[in-house]
């Protein structure tokens, strides 16, 4: 609390962001005060425009600024494979593995009984709709090696295997407890190569 | 780089902030995308309003949203003492030491030949103007115990002692290399009590 209302309000906004504590939020608020009015306008415009322009791809649910995302519209991507991931950052991480040429499905979350996140909160309806025609032959479950990631993988396996398609998951190789976006490219590439069927 | 232009632009803005690396900036940009449009508007408004409302107090140069800051207008503060600090965060830190009842002067920087910050860049002209009448009896130099803090303290001592007022500095007690705003209240309180004359 600086005693300056407008500054405290700004610091509160920074403190709402994930991983930003009170001290850091204050530091960031003070830093923004040093900006020129033009730089403030750039920042606020970047925020508003990102929100206005970016939405979910109606096919894969990944974030995009186009009607349908570039991966879903790419004729060279293998539509018979869908890699299911937690969020858009996981897609970015997978895309660094240049050997993967399939498509994605973004769940926008993981099942977490502790946080009250049930399967209904994920984009499973949209995933099941994509599996209705015969195009898709394999679903690669690429959730992280966390408790929630594993729980979601098991749920997906039980949901999808009765549909008669191949359901695989990334090979172990991702360090336990690691979030997907912090894995290096080689680890991710090996995990992809060594993927195996749910047994 | 997400491949989504509006998202990359927003991540760049976060990456400009002090202490925020590329990975963190991306994480923050994604977090903001999850906000409701109302919450985005709250954040951008907080930023614009903080910038519009907050300026330097014409007396002590501390940040304030009033014409003159509450400390300078407070009749109970001892106008015979001026505590000279690097920035507004240092004032906040000092204000937690409830035993200090004097006023402040905010330099908005420290002398740093390495970064090309010379005494001209600080608010020394404004400080000297405050010393012209006979009200001020003591200047307490409260810059941090860093190389730049010490250099600024020595410069101030040489500048102010010829004026015939008491020039003191905070007692050692602040850990070497420590920035003022991270010192705990007891350390700051003791440093204030044990302040001594430049010799």
């Amino acid at each position: 609390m600086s005693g300056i209302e407008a500054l405290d309000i700004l610091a509160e906004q920074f403190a709402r962001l994930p991983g930003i504590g009170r001290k850091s939020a204050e530091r960031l608020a003070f830093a923004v005060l040093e900006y020129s009015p033009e730089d403030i306008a750039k920042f606020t415009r970047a925020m508003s425009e990102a929100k206005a322009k970016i939405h979910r791809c109606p096919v894969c649910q990944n974030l995009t600024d186009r009607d349908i995302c570039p991966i879903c519209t790419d004729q060279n991507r293998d539509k018979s494979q869908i890699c299911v991931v937690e969020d858009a950052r996981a897609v970015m991480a997978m895309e660094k593995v240049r050997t993967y040429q399939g498509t994605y499905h973004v769940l926008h979350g993981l099942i977490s009984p502790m946080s009250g996140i049930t399967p209904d909160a994920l984009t499973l309806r949209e995933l099941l709709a994509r599996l209705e025609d015969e195009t898709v032959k394999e679903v690669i479950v690429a959730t992280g090696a966390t408790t929630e990631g594993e729980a979601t993988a098991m749920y997906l396996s039980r949901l999808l295997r009765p549909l008669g398609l191949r359901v695989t998951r990334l090979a172990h190789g991702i360090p336990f407890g690691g979030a997907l976006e912090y894995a290096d490219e080689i680890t991710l590439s090996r995990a992809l190569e060594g993927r195996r069927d749910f047994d």
Side-chain angles (χ1 to χ4, degrees), chain A:
Chain A
M1 300 298 286
S2 65
I4 308 171
E5 196 191 0
L7 189 65
D8 291 340
I9 290 172
L10 180 55
E12 258 167 50
Q13 290 296 327
F14 277 114
R16 279 192 57 187
L17 292 168
I20 306 286
R22 275 224 67 80
K23 272 274 182 200
S24 297
E26 260 175 21
R27 190 170 44 79
L28 297 176
F30 276 113
V32 165
L33 281 186
E34 300 290 322
Y35 280 19
S36 68
E38 293 71 36
D39 283 346
I40 298 266
K42 255 189 215 167
F43 202 161
T44 58
R45 198 166 51 233
M47 230 180 262
S48 309
E49 291 200 349
K51 185 66 188 175
K53 287 181 180 170
I54 299 169
H55 52 89
R56 294 183 184 183
C57 169
V59 182
C60 72
Q61 309 298 318
N62 192 12
L63 297 174
T64 184
D65 53 0
R66 316 223 190 139
D67 289 341
I68 294 175
C69 83
I71 294 171
C72 286
T73 50
D74 186 342
Q75 295 300 326
N76 295 318
R77 304 293 296 230
D78 182 355
K79 301 295 188 297
S80 76
Q81 285 184 318
I82 295 182
C83 177
V84 179
V85 294
E86 176 184 357
D87 57 22
R89 288 186 294 166
V91 173
M92 282 169 60
M94 286 296 296
E95 280 299 279
K96 291 184 187 153
V97 183
R98 303 205 176 274
T99 49
Y100 183 65
Q101 285 299 314
T103 62
Y104 294 96
H105 194 83
V106 179
L107 296 174
H108 290 285
L110 294 174
I111 298 169
S112 170
M114 295 286 283
S115 316
I117 302 173
T118 61
D120 304 344
L122 311 183
T123 61
L124 294 175
R125 212 182 350 237
E126 292 83 353
L127 176 61
L128 290 173
R130 291 175 73 185
L131 302 178
E132 270 170 18
D133 69 23
E134 303 288 293
T135 317
V136 180
K137 304 295 180 206
E138 179 181 2
V139 172
I140 303 167
V141 179
T143 51
T146 59
T147 311
E148 289 84 5
E150 299 285 357
T152 307
M154 290 320 296
Y155 182 90
L156 281 168
S157 133
R158 280 197 294 268
L159 181 74
L160 302 177
R161 275 194 304 172
L163 305 180
L165 31 77
R166 192 177 173 206
V167 183
T168 56
R169 59 172 169 177
L170 293 188
H172 279 294
I174 302 168
F176 182 78
L180 208 69
E181 72 265 26
Y182 294 114
D184 63 87
E185 295 160 43
I186 296 165
T187 303
L188 272 174
S189 178
R190 282 183 187 159
L192 185 70
E193 273 162 33
R195 69 186 186 270
R196 56 192 174 78
D197 291 274
F198 278 102
D199 49 21

